[in-house]
């Protein structure tokens, strides 16, 4: 059983993000090889980064950082649902990622992105950030256009846009199982 965190990519009020997060959650509900949970960084009351020691040392001083890191530690894989803001990810997602580091090491992620140009630049920036955390990001991603996959403010994904999601999840499961072995092997070496 692979534990997947679905991470909303913005804290902006009245964003389209909750609709797409709900769609992702519903798509995963029918699978018996995963357990998925929406993990919203907004619920951890993270201020602008306020840790004194860089995250890689995992010497967190603040309760909000400890809680955020402990929650991420529970998961083997992540699906980021990110909008594109100014050709990148949202500032709130970047800030949430900056609080932690090792909680992502040797895990796998998939990306669901959206925007005027399907959010592809946000996905590319997120791939670079996740690479720094030693996250394997699977190739397939679901990319949605606010012009063709949204109707009157409601998320209505086209079949073409939604199609890559299934193969993305299949790859998450395959890579997630393999990377569990990598994490267990690295724990044995450090003990």
């Amino acid at each position: 059983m692979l534990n997947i965190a679905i991470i909303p990519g913005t804290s902006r009020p009245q964003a389209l993000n909750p609709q797409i997060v709900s769609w992702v959650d519903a798509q995963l509900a029918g699978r018996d090889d995963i357990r998925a949970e929406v993990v919203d960084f907004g619920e951890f009351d993270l201020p602008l980064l306020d840790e004194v020691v860089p995250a890689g040392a995992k010497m967190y001083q603040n309760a909000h950082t400890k809680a955020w890191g402990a929650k991420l530690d529970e998961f083997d894989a992540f699906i980021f649902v990110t909008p594109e803001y100014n050709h990148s990810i949202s500032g709130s997602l970047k800030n949430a990622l900056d609080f932690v580091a090792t909680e992502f090491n040797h895990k796998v992620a998939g990306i669901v992105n959206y925007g005027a140009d399907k959010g592809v630049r946000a996905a590319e920036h997120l791939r670079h950030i996740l690479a720094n955390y030693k996250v394997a990001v699977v190739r397939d991603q679901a990319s949605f256009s606010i012009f063709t996959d949204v109707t009157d403010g409601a998320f209505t994904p086209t079949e073409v846009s939604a199609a890559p999601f299934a193969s993305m999840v299949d790859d998450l499961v395959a890579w997630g199982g393999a990377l569990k072995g990598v994490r267990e092997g690295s724990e044995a070496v450090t003990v």
Side-chain angles (χ1 to χ4, degrees), residues 51-128:
E51 288 290 335
V52 176
V53 178
K58 204 171 186 178
M59 296 170 57
Y60 307 140
Q61 296 178 0
N62 299 308
H64 52 260
T65 310
K66 291 175 185 176
W68 173 232
K71 188 62 180 175
L72 294 174
D73 267 337
E74 296 176 15
F75 297 95
D76 306 305
F78 305 92
I79 295 176
F80 291 89
V81 181
T82 184
E84 181 176 312
Y85 293 161
N86 300 314
H87 294 202
S88 190
I89 63 173
S90 72
S92 56
L93 175 57
K94 178 64 167 79
N95 185 62
L97 292 172
D98 286 343
F99 272 93
V100 293
T102 61
E103 293 82 358
F104 290 115
N105 289 176
H106 304 297
K107 295 182 180 180
V108 63
I111 301 173
V112 174
N113 43 281
Y114 63 96
D117 292 321
K118 292 194 162 196
V120 294
R121 293 169 294 222
E124 289 305 309
H125 284 187
L126 185 54
R127 285 177 184 276
H128 287 280

Side-chain angles (χ1 to χ4, degrees), residues 130-159:
L130 294 174
N132 185 60
Y133 291 123
K134 302 179 188 176
V135 174
V137 181
V138 298
R139 180 184 178 276
D140 288 347
Q141 64 194 45
S143 301
F144 299 103
S145 168
I146 60 171
F147 300 116
T148 59
D149 297 299
V150 178
T151 305
D152 296 326
F155 180 60
T156 53
T158 62
E159 191 174 322

Side-chain angles (χ1 to χ4, degrees), residues 15-39:
L16 183 61
N17 202 264
Q19 292 182 51
I20 301 175
V21 167
S22 292
W23 178 85
V24 168
D25 197 23
Q27 299 304 304
L28 299 175
R31 296 191 60 133
D32 60 2
D33 53 351
I34 63 170
R35 183 187 73 77
E37 178 182 343
V38 176
V39 179

